[in-house]
Amino acid sequence: MSKEDILGGVKMAGFFRSMAFKKCVLIVIWGVTLFGVGFGISFYRGVGKKYDKVQEIPIQEISVEGLADGTYTGEYTFETIYAKVQVTVKGEEIKKIVLEDFVTEKGEDAAGIVSSIVENHSVMVDDVSKATDSSRVIKLAVMDALAQ
């Protein structure tokens, strides 16, 4: 056995301490970081665009004129947001809305829009701040109920 065979491992260990190895590691780290940042940005943009599509669905006034007194059920689903409502109409006015089922990721405050719709007898009310998508789904569920 020669010294080189015995010290072969030492020479290899020397490579790990060399500047060439440090440059390779640095390039790999930068590459992984840039890939991660690029993926994160594209994922975030994709998620944002997906949820912005609910804002493109038109909200139209539904007339309750000529609508018989009673309770009407409606529901609407968009992606992970779901609302099921019972709308009570009496004397051609919206008297009460019960939010029977409401599933949302972070728009729980949107449930407050129900009182605004009842007060104004209209779905043409402002969305709840920071819960606009969920607010819109509730309005669309009310529209579904009154469209029957």
Side-chain angles (χ1 to χ4, degrees), residues 6 20-21 23 25 27-28 34-36 45 61 77 87 94 103 110 113 115 117-118 123 134 137 147:
I6 296 171
F21 178 74
K23 285 181 181 177
V25 168
I27 289 170
V28 168
L34 289 174
F35 176 77
R45 284 184 177 169
E61 186 60 70
T77 303
V87 182
I94 299 172
V103 178
I113 200 167
S115 60
I117 295 171
V118 172
V123 292
S134 298
V137 168

Side-chain angles (χ1 to χ4, degrees), residues 76 78 80-84 101-106 134 137:
Y76 198 87
F78 182 82
T80 58
I81 307 169
Y82 172 76
K84 183 176 182 182
D101 194 8
F102 183 49
V103 178
T104 183
E105 290 178 353
K106 55 186 177 182
S134 298
V137 168

Side-chain angles (χ1 to χ4, degrees), residues 7 9 13 21 34-35 47 53 62 71 88 104 107 109 111 125 132-133 141:
L7 297 176
F21 178 74
L34 289 174
F35 176 77
V47 167
K53 289 188 179 187
I62 299 290
T71 302
T88 303
T104 183
D109 292 344
V125 296
T132 53
D133 293 346

Side-chain angles (χ1 to χ4, degrees), residues 67 70-76 82-89 96-101 140-148:
L67 197 60
T71 302
Y72 300 89
T73 302
E75 59 187 337
Y76 198 87
Y82 172 76
K84 183 176 182 182
V85 296
Q86 277 195 345
V87 182
T88 303
V89 175
K96 181 179 174 185
I97 298 176
V98 176
L99 194 55
E100 283 188 347
D101 194 8
L140 290 163
V142 171
M143 286 173 51
D144 179 57
L146 297 176
Q148 298 175 8

Side-chain angles (χ1 to χ4, degrees), residues 43-53 133:
F43 179 77
Y44 179 75
R45 284 184 177 169
V47 167
K49 285 180 184 174
K50 176 176 79 171
Y51 284 108
D52 287 344
K53 289 188 179 187
D133 293 346

